[in-house]
Short mmCIF file of all heavy atoms in Angstrom, two decimals:
data_model
loop_
_atom_site.label_atom_id
_atom_site.label_comp_id
_atom_site.label_asym_id
_atom_site.label_seq_id
_atom_site.Cartn_x
_atom_site.Cartn_y
_atom_site.Cartn_z
N GLY A 1 233.46 -30.46 72.38
CA GLY A 1 233.83 -29.08 72.08
C GLY A 1 234.64 -28.98 70.80
O GLY A 1 234.46 -28.06 70.00
N GLN A 2 235.54 -29.95 70.58
CA GLN A 2 236.34 -29.96 69.36
C GLN A 2 235.44 -30.17 68.13
O GLN A 2 235.64 -29.54 67.08
CB GLN A 2 237.38 -31.07 69.44
CG GLN A 2 238.44 -31.02 68.35
CD GLN A 2 239.34 -29.79 68.50
OE1 GLN A 2 239.55 -29.31 69.60
NE2 GLN A 2 239.84 -29.30 67.36
N LEU A 3 234.45 -31.05 68.27
CA LEU A 3 233.52 -31.32 67.17
C LEU A 3 232.73 -30.06 66.81
O LEU A 3 232.56 -29.74 65.63
CB LEU A 3 232.57 -32.45 67.56
CG LEU A 3 231.48 -32.80 66.54
CD1 LEU A 3 232.09 -33.37 65.28
CD2 LEU A 3 230.47 -33.79 67.15
N VAL A 4 232.27 -29.34 67.83
CA VAL A 4 231.52 -28.10 67.58
C VAL A 4 232.40 -27.06 66.91
O VAL A 4 231.97 -26.35 66.00
CB VAL A 4 230.93 -27.56 68.90
CG1 VAL A 4 230.32 -26.18 68.69
CG2 VAL A 4 229.89 -28.52 69.46
N SER A 5 233.67 -26.97 67.31
CA SER A 5 234.57 -25.99 66.71
C SER A 5 234.82 -26.27 65.24
O SER A 5 234.85 -25.36 64.41
CB SER A 5 235.91 -25.99 67.47
OG SER A 5 235.73 -25.61 68.81
N GLU A 6 234.99 -27.54 64.89
CA GLU A 6 235.34 -27.89 63.52
C GLU A 6 234.14 -27.99 62.59
O GLU A 6 234.26 -27.79 61.38
CB GLU A 6 236.10 -29.22 63.51
CG GLU A 6 237.44 -29.15 64.25
CD GLU A 6 238.11 -30.51 64.33
OE1 GLU A 6 237.47 -31.50 63.90
OE2 GLU A 6 239.26 -30.58 64.84
N HIS A 7 232.96 -28.35 63.12
CA HIS A 7 231.77 -28.55 62.27
C HIS A 7 230.57 -27.82 62.88
O HIS A 7 229.50 -28.40 63.05
CB HIS A 7 231.45 -30.04 62.14
CG HIS A 7 232.61 -30.88 61.70
ND1 HIS A 7 233.07 -30.91 60.40
CD2 HIS A 7 233.44 -31.70 62.41
CE1 HIS A 7 234.10 -31.72 60.31
NE2 HIS A 7 234.35 -32.21 61.52
N SER A 8 230.74 -26.56 63.21
CA SER A 8 229.69 -25.81 63.90
C SER A 8 228.41 -25.72 63.08
O SER A 8 227.29 -25.86 63.62
CB SER A 8 230.19 -24.41 64.26
OG SER A 8 230.60 -23.72 63.09
N ASP A 9 228.54 -25.50 61.75
CA ASP A 9 227.33 -25.36 60.92
C ASP A 9 226.52 -26.64 60.91
O ASP A 9 225.29 -26.62 61.05
CB ASP A 9 227.73 -24.99 59.49
CG ASP A 9 228.34 -23.61 59.40
OD1 ASP A 9 228.13 -22.81 60.34
OD2 ASP A 9 229.03 -23.31 58.40
N VAL A 10 227.20 -27.78 60.75
CA VAL A 10 226.50 -29.06 60.71
C VAL A 10 225.85 -29.37 62.06
O VAL A 10 224.70 -29.80 62.13
CB VAL A 10 227.47 -30.19 60.31
CG1 VAL A 10 226.77 -31.55 60.38
CG2 VAL A 10 228.03 -29.94 58.93
N VAL A 11 226.59 -29.14 63.14
CA VAL A 11 226.08 -29.45 64.48
C VAL A 11 224.86 -28.61 64.81
O VAL A 11 223.81 -29.13 65.22
CB VAL A 11 227.18 -29.24 65.54
CG1 VAL A 11 226.58 -29.35 66.95
CG2 VAL A 11 228.29 -30.26 65.36
N PHE A 12 224.96 -27.28 64.59
CA PHE A 12 223.83 -26.41 64.93
C PHE A 12 222.65 -26.64 63.99
O PHE A 12 221.49 -26.55 64.40
CB PHE A 12 224.27 -24.95 64.89
CG PHE A 12 225.11 -24.56 66.06
CD1 PHE A 12 226.43 -24.14 65.89
CD2 PHE A 12 224.62 -24.63 67.35
CE1 PHE A 12 227.23 -23.80 66.98
CE2 PHE A 12 225.39 -24.28 68.44
CZ PHE A 12 226.71 -23.87 68.26
N GLY A 13 222.94 -26.95 62.71
CA GLY A 13 221.86 -27.28 61.78
C GLY A 13 221.12 -28.54 62.21
O GLY A 13 219.88 -28.60 62.18
N GLY A 14 221.88 -29.56 62.62
CA GLY A 14 221.26 -30.80 63.09
C GLY A 14 220.44 -30.59 64.35
O GLY A 14 219.33 -31.12 64.48
N LEU A 15 220.97 -29.79 65.29
CA LEU A 15 220.21 -29.49 66.51
C LEU A 15 218.93 -28.73 66.21
O LEU A 15 217.89 -28.97 66.83
CB LEU A 15 221.09 -28.70 67.49
CG LEU A 15 222.26 -29.45 68.12
CD1 LEU A 15 223.10 -28.51 68.99
CD2 LEU A 15 221.76 -30.62 68.96
N LEU A 16 218.98 -27.82 65.23
CA LEU A 16 217.79 -27.06 64.86
C LEU A 16 216.73 -27.97 64.26
O LEU A 16 215.54 -27.85 64.59
CB LEU A 16 218.17 -25.97 63.85
CG LEU A 16 217.02 -25.07 63.37
CD1 LEU A 16 216.38 -24.33 64.54
CD2 LEU A 16 217.52 -24.09 62.31
N VAL A 17 217.16 -28.90 63.41
CA VAL A 17 216.21 -29.85 62.81
C VAL A 17 215.57 -30.72 63.90
O VAL A 17 214.34 -30.94 63.91
CB VAL A 17 216.91 -30.73 61.76
CG1 VAL A 17 216.00 -31.88 61.32
CG2 VAL A 17 217.32 -29.89 60.56
N VAL A 18 216.39 -31.20 64.82
CA VAL A 18 215.87 -32.03 65.92
C VAL A 18 214.87 -31.24 66.75
O VAL A 18 213.81 -31.75 67.15
CB VAL A 18 217.03 -32.55 66.79
CG1 VAL A 18 216.50 -33.20 68.06
CG2 VAL A 18 217.88 -33.54 66.01
N ALA A 19 215.18 -29.96 67.03
CA ALA A 19 214.28 -29.12 67.82
C ALA A 19 212.95 -28.91 67.10
O ALA A 19 211.88 -28.99 67.72
CB ALA A 19 214.95 -27.79 68.12
N LEU A 20 212.99 -28.65 65.79
CA LEU A 20 211.76 -28.44 65.03
C LEU A 20 210.91 -29.70 64.99
O LEU A 20 209.68 -29.65 65.15
CB LEU A 20 212.09 -27.98 63.61
CG LEU A 20 212.69 -26.57 63.48
CD1 LEU A 20 213.08 -26.29 62.04
CD2 LEU A 20 211.71 -25.52 63.97
N VAL A 21 211.55 -30.85 64.78
CA VAL A 21 210.81 -32.12 64.77
C VAL A 21 210.19 -32.38 66.14
O VAL A 21 209.04 -32.83 66.24
CB VAL A 21 211.75 -33.28 64.37
CG1 VAL A 21 211.07 -34.63 64.58
CG2 VAL A 21 212.17 -33.14 62.91
N ALA A 22 210.94 -32.08 67.20
CA ALA A 22 210.43 -32.29 68.56
C ALA A 22 209.22 -31.40 68.83
O ALA A 22 208.23 -31.84 69.42
CB ALA A 22 211.52 -32.02 69.59
N VAL A 23 209.27 -30.14 68.39
CA VAL A 23 208.15 -29.22 68.60
C VAL A 23 206.92 -29.70 67.83
O VAL A 23 205.80 -29.71 68.35
CB VAL A 23 208.54 -27.79 68.16
CG1 VAL A 23 207.31 -26.89 68.11
CG2 VAL A 23 209.58 -27.22 69.12
N PHE A 24 207.12 -30.11 66.57
CA PHE A 24 206.00 -30.60 65.75
C PHE A 24 205.38 -31.85 66.38
O PHE A 24 204.15 -31.97 66.47
CB PHE A 24 206.51 -30.91 64.34
CG PHE A 24 205.45 -31.47 63.43
CD1 PHE A 24 204.52 -30.65 62.82
CD2 PHE A 24 205.39 -32.85 63.20
CE1 PHE A 24 203.54 -31.18 61.99
CE2 PHE A 24 204.41 -33.38 62.37
CZ PHE A 24 203.49 -32.55 61.77
N TRP A 25 206.23 -32.78 66.80
CA TRP A 25 205.72 -34.01 67.42
C TRP A 25 204.99 -33.70 68.73
O TRP A 25 203.93 -34.29 69.01
CB TRP A 25 206.87 -34.96 67.69
CG TRP A 25 206.45 -36.21 68.42
CD1 TRP A 25 205.93 -37.35 67.88
CD2 TRP A 25 206.50 -36.42 69.84
NE1 TRP A 25 205.66 -38.26 68.87
CE2 TRP A 25 205.98 -37.73 70.07
CE3 TRP A 25 206.91 -35.65 70.92
CZ2 TRP A 25 205.89 -38.26 71.35
CZ3 TRP A 25 206.81 -36.18 72.20
CH2 TRP A 25 206.32 -37.47 72.40
N LEU A 26 205.52 -32.77 69.52
CA LEU A 26 204.90 -32.43 70.79
C LEU A 26 203.53 -31.81 70.58
O LEU A 26 202.58 -32.12 71.32
CB LEU A 26 205.81 -31.47 71.57
CG LEU A 26 205.42 -31.17 73.02
CD1 LEU A 26 205.41 -32.45 73.84
CD2 LEU A 26 206.36 -30.15 73.63
N ARG A 27 203.40 -30.93 69.59
CA ARG A 27 202.10 -30.32 69.31
C ARG A 27 201.08 -31.39 68.91
O ARG A 27 199.94 -31.38 69.37
CB ARG A 27 202.24 -29.29 68.19
CG ARG A 27 202.97 -28.02 68.61
CD ARG A 27 203.00 -27.03 67.47
NE ARG A 27 201.65 -26.62 67.07
CZ ARG A 27 201.41 -25.83 66.03
NH1 ARG A 27 202.42 -25.38 65.29
NH2 ARG A 27 200.17 -25.49 65.74
N HIS A 28 201.50 -32.31 68.05
CA HIS A 28 200.59 -33.40 67.64
C HIS A 28 200.25 -34.29 68.84
O HIS A 28 199.09 -34.72 69.00
CB HIS A 28 201.25 -34.23 66.54
CG HIS A 28 200.46 -35.43 66.14
ND1 HIS A 28 199.30 -35.36 65.40
CD2 HIS A 28 200.66 -36.76 66.41
CE1 HIS A 28 198.82 -36.57 65.22
NE2 HIS A 28 199.62 -37.43 65.81
N PHE A 29 201.23 -34.56 69.68
CA PHE A 29 201.03 -35.40 70.85
C PHE A 29 200.01 -34.79 71.81
O PHE A 29 199.13 -35.48 72.34
CB PHE A 29 202.38 -35.59 71.55
CG PHE A 29 202.35 -36.57 72.68
CD1 PHE A 29 202.08 -37.91 72.47
CD2 PHE A 29 202.63 -36.15 73.98
CE1 PHE A 29 202.08 -38.82 73.52
CE2 PHE A 29 202.61 -37.04 75.04
CZ PHE A 29 202.34 -38.38 74.81
N ILE A 30 200.09 -33.47 72.00
CA ILE A 30 199.17 -32.78 72.91
C ILE A 30 197.78 -32.71 72.31
O ILE A 30 196.77 -32.96 72.99
CB ILE A 30 199.71 -31.38 73.24
CG1 ILE A 30 201.00 -31.49 74.08
CG2 ILE A 30 198.67 -30.57 74.00
CD1 ILE A 30 201.67 -30.16 74.35
N ARG A 31 197.70 -32.35 71.01
CA ARG A 31 196.38 -32.21 70.38
C ARG A 31 195.64 -33.54 70.30
O ARG A 31 194.41 -33.57 70.34
CB ARG A 31 196.55 -31.63 68.97
CG ARG A 31 196.93 -30.16 68.97
CD ARG A 31 197.09 -29.63 67.55
NE ARG A 31 197.38 -28.21 67.53
CZ ARG A 31 197.58 -27.51 66.43
NH1 ARG A 31 197.52 -28.11 65.25
NH2 ARG A 31 197.85 -26.22 66.50
N SER A 32 196.36 -34.64 70.17
CA SER A 32 195.70 -35.95 70.08
C SER A 32 195.13 -36.42 71.41
O SER A 32 194.33 -37.36 71.45
CB SER A 32 196.70 -37.00 69.56
OG SER A 32 197.72 -37.23 70.52
N GLY A 33 195.53 -35.77 72.51
CA GLY A 33 195.05 -36.16 73.83
C GLY A 33 195.82 -37.30 74.46
O GLY A 33 195.53 -37.71 75.58
N ARG A 34 196.83 -37.81 73.76
CA ARG A 34 197.58 -38.94 74.29
C ARG A 34 198.56 -38.55 75.38
O ARG A 34 199.12 -39.42 76.04
CB ARG A 34 198.31 -39.67 73.15
CG ARG A 34 197.36 -40.24 72.12
CD ARG A 34 198.00 -41.28 71.23
NE ARG A 34 197.01 -41.89 70.34
CZ ARG A 34 196.20 -42.88 70.68
NH1 ARG A 34 196.27 -43.36 71.91
NH2 ARG A 34 195.33 -43.36 69.84
N TRP A 35 198.77 -37.24 75.56
CA TRP A 35 199.64 -36.81 76.65
C TRP A 35 199.03 -37.17 78.00
O TRP A 35 199.75 -37.46 78.95
CB TRP A 35 199.90 -35.31 76.55
CG TRP A 35 198.68 -34.47 76.75
CD1 TRP A 35 197.73 -34.15 75.83
CD2 TRP A 35 198.28 -33.82 77.96
NE1 TRP A 35 196.75 -33.36 76.38
CE2 TRP A 35 197.08 -33.13 77.69
CE3 TRP A 35 198.83 -33.75 79.24
CZ2 TRP A 35 196.41 -32.40 78.66
CZ3 TRP A 35 198.16 -33.02 80.21
CH2 TRP A 35 196.98 -32.35 79.91
N ILE A 36 197.70 -37.18 78.07
CA ILE A 36 197.04 -37.57 79.32
C ILE A 36 197.28 -39.05 79.59
O ILE A 36 197.56 -39.46 80.72
CB ILE A 36 195.53 -37.26 79.25
CG1 ILE A 36 195.30 -35.76 79.06
CG2 ILE A 36 194.84 -37.73 80.53
CD1 ILE A 36 193.85 -35.37 78.95
N VAL A 37 197.18 -39.86 78.52
CA VAL A 37 197.44 -41.30 78.67
C VAL A 37 198.87 -41.52 79.15
O VAL A 37 199.13 -42.36 80.03
CB VAL A 37 197.20 -42.02 77.33
CG1 VAL A 37 197.49 -43.51 77.48
CG2 VAL A 37 195.77 -41.80 76.85
N PHE A 38 199.82 -40.77 78.58
CA PHE A 38 201.21 -40.89 78.99
C PHE A 38 201.39 -40.54 80.46
O PHE A 38 202.07 -41.25 81.22
CB PHE A 38 202.08 -39.98 78.12
CG PHE A 38 203.50 -39.85 78.58
CD1 PHE A 38 204.40 -40.89 78.39
CD2 PHE A 38 203.94 -38.69 79.21
CE1 PHE A 38 205.72 -40.77 78.83
CE2 PHE A 38 205.25 -38.57 79.65
CZ PHE A 38 206.13 -39.62 79.46
N LEU A 39 200.77 -39.44 80.90
CA LEU A 39 200.91 -39.01 82.29
C LEU A 39 200.31 -40.03 83.25
O LEU A 39 200.83 -40.24 84.35
CB LEU A 39 200.26 -37.65 82.49
CG LEU A 39 200.95 -36.44 81.84
CD1 LEU A 39 200.16 -35.17 82.09
CD2 LEU A 39 202.37 -36.28 82.36
#
């Protein structure tokens, strides 16, 4: 909580980047058909 209070812009920016990368990777993972192999 202290980290978020002092560096909110950096923390939320980093979380946004991680979320975008995760969404992009997930779309590629699903389209490639490898999600079935994983399951």
Side-chain angles (χ1 to χ4, degrees):
Q2 191 67 29
L3 177 66
V4 172
S5 297
E6 296 175 355
H7 308 284
S8 58
D9 293 340
V10 175
V11 171
F12 286 117
L15 291 176
L16 181 60
V17 170
V18 170
L20 291 175
V21 170
V23 169
F24 177 80
W25 176 84
L26 189 60
R27 289 183 62 185
H28 174 74
F29 187 64
I30 293 175
R31 288 180 177 179
S32 68
R34 298 197 175 277
W35 65 278
I36 299 179
V37 179
F38 170 75
L39 290 178

